[in-house]
Amino acid sequence: MFSIKCLIRLCLFSLLFFHHFASAIVNIESKRADPGAQEEGFEGFVNVDISGDNGNTKESDLALSVQLNWAGKNDSDLLMLNYAYGETANVKDTDQSFLHYRHVWLARETVSYEAFTQLETNEFTRLKLRSLLGGGIRLKLDLPNQQHSVYLGVGLFRSREDLDPLISGGAVIEDYATRLNSYLVYRYHLNEHVRLLNMLYYQPDVSEFGDYRLLEQLAIKVALNKSLSLTVSVDVAHDSRPPENVETTDTSYRTGFEYRF
């Protein structure tokens, strides 16, 4: 039967495919809701990171992240939007955006299936637009200690990347690929206020495994009260075959506040 929930999902997929909003892998694990793991209903998060210097050094950075979760008894939905902008000496050096939607079905207590789609842009890696659609299986490993949890994900996605030309006025370069999407997640609840999350992605092209992308992400979240948390994260992203004139490895550090509603 067609329902309001189905209509919401249809609208989200339409938004992702037809709205030109948004090449990096983005961590969705820190606020992800597994089916059956939390109370049913909607939950939202807003992260804001602002930093700057003025005087001999002029630098300003802004990062905004908004996420909506819907959790049901046997399925869940996630919608995430990220935007980052930065300037140094009044010259723009960061401008990237990301939009992601994911649906997860719970097959058994430790086995889930997931489908996802996303859009990305990054002016400083020549990424005009990256769009993809994929799916896979997610396994929760059985551990005796409730403070620790480990997840393993394996799947595939098909992507299209539109790259800005190296020469002004040149044609946009289109690149298509089918990639393996594999990841390993480790969560550790130190106590009721402090949580550590480590995640490793590996995404090779299935037609050429020498063309791969790696992302290592480490985050620490400290709950200040029921709604507000302090978050600190480090991301290291590596692309074995990036576009010409783009570095193979990027490292980013971020400290900010997260508001839960």
Side-chain angles (χ1 to χ4, degrees):
M1 177 185 293
F2 191 78
S3 65
I4 294 177
K5 189 171 71 172
C6 293
L7 179 62
I8 292 173
R9 290 173 185 161
L10 179 62
C11 291
L12 290 174
F13 273 109
S14 300
L15 174 68
L16 285 166
F17 279 111
F18 298 110
H19 180 45
H20 285 241
F21 179 81
S23 151
I25 309 167
V26 176
N27 189 351
I28 66 166
E29 283 292 330
S30 60
K31 297 172 287 291
R32 176 172 172 142
D34 288 325
Q38 69 171 46
E39 294 183 6
E40 295 183 32
F42 284 97
E43 185 177 41
F45 301 86
V46 177
N47 284 79
V48 179
D49 307 328
I50 301 174
S51 62
D53 294 291
N54 198 12
N56 293 315
T57 301
K58 292 185 178 181
E59 183 175 352
S60 60
D61 295 284
L62 167 67
L64 173 67
S65 174
V66 179
Q67 179 173 324
L68 298 176
N69 289 340
W70 181 88
K73 183 177 180 181
N74 295 309
D75 62 347
S76 68
D77 293 280
L78 175 151
L79 178 66
M80 173 180 274
L81 166 66
N82 283 358
Y83 179 70
Y85 180 88
E87 293 183 356
T88 300
N90 296 322
V91 177
K92 180 170 65 171
D93 56 12
T94 302
D95 191 352
Q96 60 188 64
S97 54
F98 170 87
L99 185 63
H100 182 96
Y101 172 66
R102 181 172 299 239
H103 181 69
V104 181
W105 299 266
L106 182 65
R108 298 195 298 273
E109 184 178 350
T110 58
V111 180
S112 299
Y113 299 102
E114 49 190 7
F116 54 87
T117 184
Q118 70 186 43
L119 300 175
E120 304 171 57
T121 67
N122 190 334
E123 179 179 342
F124 292 89
T125 60
R126 295 177 48 210
L127 185 64
K128 189 175 182 68
L129 177 66
R130 181 185 189 219
S131 56
L132 63 85
L133 179 66
I137 187 171
R138 176 180 171 90
L139 306 174
K140 182 178 181 180
L141 305 186
D142 190 18
L143 298 177
N145 191 329
Q146 295 289 325
Q147 288 182 286
H148 305 266
S149 55
V150 177
Y151 298 85
L152 176 65
V154 180
L156 291 171
F157 67 81
R158 179 69 173 172
S159 68
R160 168 181 167 172
E161 295 184 358
D162 296 341
L163 302 174
D164 285 322
L166 288 171
I167 302 174
S168 179
V172 173
I173 302 169
E174 296 181 0
D175 182 58
Y176 294 85
T178 300
R179 292 185 178 273
L180 174 69
N181 183 51
S182 58
Y183 61 84
L184 181 66
V185 178
Y186 170 68
R187 296 178 183 174
Y188 176 52
H189 291 261
L190 183 62
N191 53 47
E192 60 180 330
H193 301 292
V194 182
R195 185 175 66 173
L196 181 145
L197 171 70
N198 191 76
M199 185 168 188
L200 177 65
Y201 278 101
Y202 173 56
Q203 295 182 335
D205 189 322
V206 296
S207 64
E208 177 52 71
F209 272 70
D211 179 2
Y212 64 89
R213 292 167 181 171
L214 283 172
L215 179 63
E216 165 64 21
Q217 298 177 313
L218 176 65
I220 298 175
K221 182 176 177 180
V222 181
L224 304 178
N225 56 42
K226 186 177 180 180
S227 300
L228 188 65
S229 299
L230 171 68
T231 59
V232 180
S233 63
V234 179
D235 294 1
V236 180
H238 177 78
D239 187 344
S240 68
R241 296 182 184 175
E244 190 174 350
N245 292 347
V246 175
E247 297 288 338
T248 58
T249 304
D250 284 321
T251 303
S252 60
Y253 312 87
R254 185 164 295 169
T255 302
F257 291 94
E258 175 185 284
Y259 178 73
R260 176 180 179 178
F261 61 91

